[in-house]
Amino acid sequence: MSQKVGVVGCGGISRFHFPGHEKAGATITTVCDIDKSAASPWMDKYEASYTDDYNVLVSDPTIDVVDITTISRMHKEIALAAISNGKSVICEKTLSESAEDSAQIVQAARDAGVMLF
């Protein structure tokens, strides 16, 4: 079964994540960025839907995995929202801006029984 992935953040580093999802056989269903022009190439390539609100993406019941490639200061907020919606999370480094925040994300994933990469 193909994992359905939503990608939050379509800037620079995301260009390395999209091919990885392809190689893993995942289906990219939704892309999210505050700048639609950054998301546009990925929308076209994967016939993905678009949102500028990550809350819409993380609450979508059809998405299995949320890939976070935004700026680091947004990682904790997005990761915790995804985890609280039962999504597995892939997060671009750094996981968060502090060891305490990172530990909180890890514990939330453990408690929810979801994968965190």
Side-chain angles (χ1 to χ4, degrees):
M1 179 172 93
S2 174
Q3 293 289 301
K4 294 187 175 23
V5 177
V7 178
V8 182
C10 296
I13 200 70
S14 69
R15 74 182 184 274
F16 299 107
H17 287 238
F18 286 102
H21 294 304
E22 272 187 72
K23 288 177 185 173
T27 302
I28 296 162
T29 62
T30 307
V31 292
C32 175
D33 199 285
I34 57 173
D35 179 1
K36 190 172 185 177
S37 67
S40 226
W42 308 114
M43 292 165 48
D44 295 342
K45 180 171 182 159
Y46 298 108
E47 298 179 0
S49 64
Y50 166 79
T51 183
D52 63 359
D53 181 353
Y54 75 83
N55 289 296
V56 171
L57 186 148
V58 302
S59 64
D60 182 336
T62 67
I63 292 175
D64 304 304
V65 178
V66 174
D67 186 0
I68 305 168
T69 63
T70 63
I71 57 175
S72 295
R73 69 179 161 85
M74 294 300 299
H75 290 180
K76 177 185 174 188
E77 182 178 323
I78 299 168
L80 291 177
I83 291 165
S84 73
N85 279 280
K87 311 301 182 196
S88 290
V89 172
I90 298 169
C91 188
E92 178 59 34
K93 64 178 173 101
T94 60
L95 180 55
S96 72
E97 293 193 308
S98 74
E100 294 80 15
D101 287 349
S102 293
Q104 185 180 356
I105 295 167
V106 169
Q107 190 59 54
R110 284 182 180 148
D111 292 346
V114 298
M115 302 291 283
L116 173 64
F117 301 90

